[in-house]
Amino acid sequence: MNRIEQKFKLLKEKNQKALVTFISAGDPDLKTTEELIYSLDQNGVDIVELGMPFSDPMADGPVIQRSSQRALQSGTNLNKIFTTVAHVRKKTQIPILLMGYYNPILQYGEEKFFKKCASVGVDGALIVDLPPQEGKRVKEIAQVNGCSLIFLLAPTSDPERIKLVCKNASGFIYYVSLTGITGAKLQSDLQKQSALKLLKKTTQLPVCIGFGIKTAEQAKKTSQLGDGVVIGSALIEMIEKHQGKKAPQEISTWIKKIAKAVH
Amino acid sequence: MKKSTKKNQWQSYNLPNHLGYFGEYGGQFVAETLMPALNELEAAYKKIRSDSHFKKEFKRLLKDYVGRPSPLYEAARLSQKLGHRIFLKREDLNHTGAHKVNNTLGQILLALKMGKKRIIAETGAGQHGVATATMCARFGLSCEVYMGAEDVQRQAPNVFRMKLLGAKVIAVHSGTATLKDAMNEALRDWISNVSNTYYCIGTVAGPHPYPMMVRDFQKIIGEETKQQILKSMNRLPDYVMACVGGGSNAMGMFYPFIKDTQVKLMGVEAAGYGIRSGKHAAAIVGGRLGVLHGQKSYLLQDAEGQIIPTHSISAGLDYPGVGPELSYLADQGRVQIVSATDKEALEGFEMLSHLEGIIPALESSHSLGYLKKYAKKLKKNSVIVLNLSGRGDKDLNTVAKLQKISL
């Protein structure tokens, strides 16, 4: 059982929902990323998603695009992200998963990537443009290395896709709350979405809902529909606003408020 | 022995497979949100592909609206200068001035069948954007075209054309502000509006079924060429040449010749300032296997898999990737991929203008430039067909600027 699975087991015992947060590794630099991880951990975040920057993030809105760009400008690459995680692991056991696009991983080498994940203490990966039918080999490699491979589902997903994703996913399933890109506006009809209903009937895995969640109230309400929520763009907007200052107090206060609402 | 196996391989050529792969190239590397839409598109395409009513309508409009068949013209003075018998497939004479319209007609007819009322497209040189806007005007559909901000500048006449046709042109400022970024933005739009929107991709790239579908809509180029050359020469050509960006005019021309292994197929990529300069757009000549825009294919990227900025004098070739089928055919040796620099393309541009009274698109000028340079190395008096994929009107500003002339 890796840290992600342990975390969900623990949360279930406590009857709590999970707060998952996304930040781009290296935005604006990896030192800040490290401090942010500690701050998120201390303020009640359950799982940290670290974005691996890519030059062409096709499924992301402007906020994460800019953040990805800042990360690349600061010279962030996979090796440096692994070094940062290894360093972070001396201080915290918060579950960490890497999220990004397939090409940088393909160029790094899929085997090498997951071996490295296992050795530095990364617990899982979410590859946005690698749907399960293309990810058979990657799934095997992740499994061998004890890493969860998280897949996405969306309101557009039909029963066939839901079945396929549930069969292949591990760790948890990331349900995209809306038909759109990251940072879009949350839709109010979430509880009526048939894909979400069917997904919960189909899988034993925890379901975390993300995209468009910006406030504590939204987080609380949305978390009740699944097993947890993911916050990305809203957090990154705050980081963008405070560029240059170290792990600002404002972010910890905000995260604490959201964690309280979710838990 | 080996040769005959190879020959058989091409006799029964029927890629892609059911997962959209040409060998190891192709596939569907997209966000999950789009998977149902791709499945829906594939099912709809398979249905119309064997629908005689659809085929009839497509053929009729290709003839009456696009102006097909396009002539296969023997360029006598060019032939004399280069020492071969050179035929030009005049896709520049199509309505809207390039081969792009063949594909947009097919896809817009398909969108209508699927009940999609909103069409989006990406464009580089603007030719695909114009062709899409044209078809949307013809069928009364709403049309939004994503175009890199840099291309909006260098292809201003086409931007105006699209607006005249009632389309909305959205300038994309992200990334390198060229074709790849326009495609990113179009994909983001599609992810956000997938239920009512049809994404009309302009080349043989992107996730399956696009590479197959766009090739099928473009293969009319090669089919006509084959009939025309057999009629005039009573034999197949020795060489068939086309420029390669994403690869739609090349695949449209090459596909019907794949089985005719005596015909040498040559694709000319854009070498920009030269392959060694690193500032080019030659994905197969200068790139390696990667994944972008939903497909696995040759790709221009750095050591860490980040996409690198490309350069070509022609906006239509200024793209870091290439269609998966061309990657496969190049690997298998069925298509030979070469390249021509900006300078060589400009020489081709001038040569055809002066000798034949035809101003070619800068894209097609790459194959003309290559032919000019290497004509002597080809077997003497070869029969060569060159796909003149578009006309050069849209490039007058670019060329004038290089000659320090303001229009």
Side-chain angles (χ1 to χ4, degrees), chain B residues 1-294:
Chain B
M1 179 67 197
K2 204 183 165 198
K3 204 168 179 183
S4 74
T5 336
K6 275 249 161 170
K7 201 172 173 184
N8 285 338
Q9 172 195 354
W10 301 119
Q11 289 311 315
S12 58
Y13 182 78
N14 65 346
L15 294 178
N17 69 12
H18 70 290
L19 295 170
Y21 275 88
F22 305 86
E24 63 175 315
Y25 304 104
Q28 292 178 307
F29 296 86
V30 296
E32 187 62 36
T33 308
L34 290 181
M35 277 310 304
L38 290 176
N39 290 341
E40 181 196 358
L41 178 63
E42 189 183 350
Y45 176 62
K46 278 187 176 155
K47 218 165 137 192
I48 58 108
R49 190 162 61 170
S50 49
D51 176 357
S52 58
H53 180 76
F54 182 94
K55 282 196 276 193
K56 226 170 112 188
E57 182 70 353
F58 183 51
K59 280 252 157 87
R60 183 181 73 83
L61 286 163
L62 280 177
K63 178 171 170 279
D64 298 341
Y65 191 69
V66 175
R68 303 204 72 94
S70 66
L72 184 70
Y73 161 72
E74 182 166 8
R77 294 188 70 214
L78 183 68
S79 296
Q80 197 183 14
K81 182 175 162 77
L82 298 181
H84 299 287
R85 291 195 71 172
I86 301 168
F87 293 79
L88 303 175
K89 180 60 174 165
R90 300 290 309 273
E91 291 298 301
D92 61 317
L93 293 177
N94 290 339
H95 179 42
T96 74
H99 72 290
K100 291 291 185 189
V101 70
N102 305 324
N103 166 49
T104 52
L105 172 62
Q107 286 203 56
I108 296 305
L109 286 176
L110 176 58
L112 284 168
K113 283 262 177 207
M114 292 173 75
K116 308 277 183 185
K117 301 267 186 268
R118 178 175 179 265
I119 308 296
I120 57 167
E122 84 295 330
T123 196
Q127 289 305 104
H128 173 60
V130 167
T132 308
T134 299
M135 287 305 163
C136 287
R138 166 68 181 73
F139 290 101
L141 298 169
S142 120
C143 178
E144 292 178 35
V145 180
Y146 289 92
M147 189 169 187
E150 192 180 319
D151 294 336
V152 168
Q153 290 292 320
R154 58 179 166 175
Q155 304 287 343
N158 271 345
V159 175
F160 189 56
R161 226 166 255 146
M162 284 184 266
K163 286 180 182 164
L164 280 176
L165 292 161
K168 187 173 159 196
V169 179
I170 303 162
V172 176
H173 294 272
S174 61
T176 52
T178 58
L179 180 54
K180 87 171 167 74
D181 308 285
M183 197 149 174
N184 288 338
E185 218 47 51
L187 280 164
R188 289 180 188 121
D189 181 318
W190 201 31
I191 291 175
S192 308
N193 302 292
V194 64
S195 62
N196 69 344
T197 299
Y198 184 94
Y199 180 17
C200 183
I201 293 185
T203 191
V204 287
H208 178 66
Y210 285 102
M212 166 180 79
M213 188 169 72
V214 177
R215 173 202 73 194
D216 291 351
F217 288 139
Q218 290 291 3
K219 71 180 179 191
I220 184 85
I221 303 173
E223 286 170 351
E224 284 175 6
T225 301
K226 209 171 184 176
Q227 282 181 6
Q228 290 164 323
I229 195 84
L230 283 173
K231 201 172 167 200
S232 62
M233 295 292 292
N234 206 22
R235 57 167 283 207
L236 289 175
D238 300 303
Y239 296 91
V240 172
M241 296 176 69
C243 63
V244 173
S248 69
N249 91 82
M251 275 317 306
M253 177 55 109
F254 295 164
Y255 185 65
F257 287 102
I258 287 178
K259 289 175 186 170
D260 308 302
T261 45
Q262 73 271 33
V263 179
K264 292 194 181 70
L265 307 175
M266 291 180 85
V268 185
E269 290 192 320
Y273 297 130
I275 299 294
R276 280 194 195 151
S277 73
K279 288 178 177 154
H280 60 83
I284 296 180
V285 171
R288 60 178 203 282
L289 182 75
V291 169
L292 181 73
H293 294 152

Side-chain angles (χ1 to χ4, degrees), chain A residues 53-61 65 72 76-77 102-104 106-107 128-134 152-154 156-158 161 165 176 178-181, chain B residues 19 21 27-33 35-36 39 174 180-181 184-185 187-188 191-194 288-294 296 299 301 303-307:
Chain A
F54 182 48
S55 54
D56 295 78
M58 272 110 37
D60 285 300
Q65 284 177 46
L72 285 174
T76 308
N77 61 23
Y102 184 41
N103 198 48
L106 181 67
Q107 302 310 322
V128 179
D129 55 349
L130 192 75
Q133 81 276 7
E134 299 289 359
L152 299 156
L153 277 169
T156 55
S157 300
D158 51 36
R161 295 302 302 176
V165 165
V176 176
L178 47 87
T179 306
I181 53 178
Chain B
L19 295 170
Y21 275 88
Q28 292 178 307
F29 296 86
V30 296
E32 187 62 36
T33 308
M35 277 310 304
N39 290 341
S174 61
K180 87 171 167 74
D181 308 285
N184 288 338
E185 218 47 51
L187 280 164
R188 289 180 188 121
I191 291 175
S192 308
N193 302 292
V194 64
R288 60 178 203 282
L289 182 75
V291 169
L292 181 73
H293 294 152
K296 194 182 261 183
L299 183 62
Q301 53 187 319
E304 286 159 4
Q306 307 295 344
I307 311 311

Side-chain angles (χ1 to χ4, degrees), chain A:
Chain A
M1 207 184 265
N2 66 29
R3 292 180 196 86
I4 296 174
E5 292 157 337
Q6 279 167 13
K7 175 61 87 175
F8 277 108
K9 190 167 170 267
L10 191 74
L11 286 168
K12 201 174 176 186
E13 282 165 13
K14 291 200 286 184
N15 201 18
Q16 273 186 0
K17 305 295 183 184
L19 173 59
V20 184
T21 53
F22 173 91
I23 53 173
S24 287
D27 170 25
D29 54 55
L30 283 162
K31 186 84 197 108
T32 309
T33 301
E34 189 180 335
E35 281 165 18
L36 276 167
I37 296 173
Y38 299 142
S39 163
L40 296 172
D41 182 27
Q42 282 156 20
N43 290 292
V45 168
D46 297 299
I47 297 173
V48 170
E49 279 183 14
L50 278 184
M52 304 172 277
F54 182 48
S55 54
D56 295 78
M58 272 110 37
D60 285 300
V63 173
I64 294 182
Q65 284 177 46
R66 286 199 300 271
S67 145
S68 199
Q69 213 48 52
R70 287 193 296 272
L72 285 174
Q73 268 156 22
S74 75
T76 308
N77 61 23
L78 287 178
N79 273 329
K80 288 181 187 170
I81 295 174
F82 285 130
T83 308
T84 303
V85 175
H87 201 246
V88 163
R89 275 286 169 252
K90 291 179 190 158
K91 286 200 192 170
T92 168
Q93 293 307 309
I94 189 165
I96 294 177
L97 68 98
L98 296 182
M99 180 167 177
Y101 292 80
Y102 184 41
N103 198 48
I105 297 172
L106 181 67
Q107 302 310 322
Y108 192 82
E110 293 147 316
E111 295 239 29
K112 191 177 148 198
F113 175 84
F114 282 102
K115 275 190 183 140
K116 199 81 191 179
C117 284
S119 78
V120 301
V122 168
D123 307 290
L126 195 172
I127 309 167
V128 179
D129 55 349
L130 192 75
Q133 81 276 7
E134 299 289 359
K136 284 182 189 140
R137 202 178 100 86
V138 171
K139 183 191 150 189
E140 278 169 28
I141 299 168
Q143 219 161 18
V144 170
N145 289 287
C147 278
S148 301
L149 194 59
I150 286 98
F151 288 107
L152 299 156
L153 277 169
T156 55
S157 300
D158 51 36
E160 214 173 295
R161 295 302 302 176
I162 293 173
K163 220 167 104 187
L164 181 72
V165 165
C166 290
K167 214 178 99 191
N168 287 283
S170 49
F172 65 92
I173 288 171
Y174 188 140
Y175 182 75
V176 176
S177 72
L178 47 87
T179 306
I181 53 178
T182 54
K185 198 163 173 281
L186 189 66
Q187 284 156 6
S188 55
D189 65 342
L190 198 52
Q191 72 279 9
K192 291 188 211 130
Q193 288 179 11
S194 57
L196 178 57
K197 281 186 195 161
L198 182 60
L199 163 61
K200 285 171 67 189
K201 266 189 229 158
T202 312
T203 187
Q204 301 287 320
L205 287 171
V207 174
C208 292
I209 304 171
F211 280 39
I213 299 165
K214 292 187 170 68
T215 65
E217 197 192 338
Q218 286 173 335
K220 187 184 170 81
K221 223 173 129 189
T222 309
S223 70
Q224 296 307 313
L225 302 173
D227 304 289
V229 287
V230 188
I231 293 201
S233 296
L235 175 57
I236 287 173
E237 258 180 331
M238 292 196 92
I239 296 169
E240 188 171 47
K241 215 169 81 190
H242 291 95
Q243 255 188 93
K245 294 171 210 161
K246 284 182 187 174
Q249 187 61 37
E250 207 178 313
I251 290 179
S252 5
T253 315
W254 184 70
I255 283 293
K256 203 180 251 173
K257 203 172 116 195
I258 297 208
K260 207 177 147 205
V262 170
H263 287 146

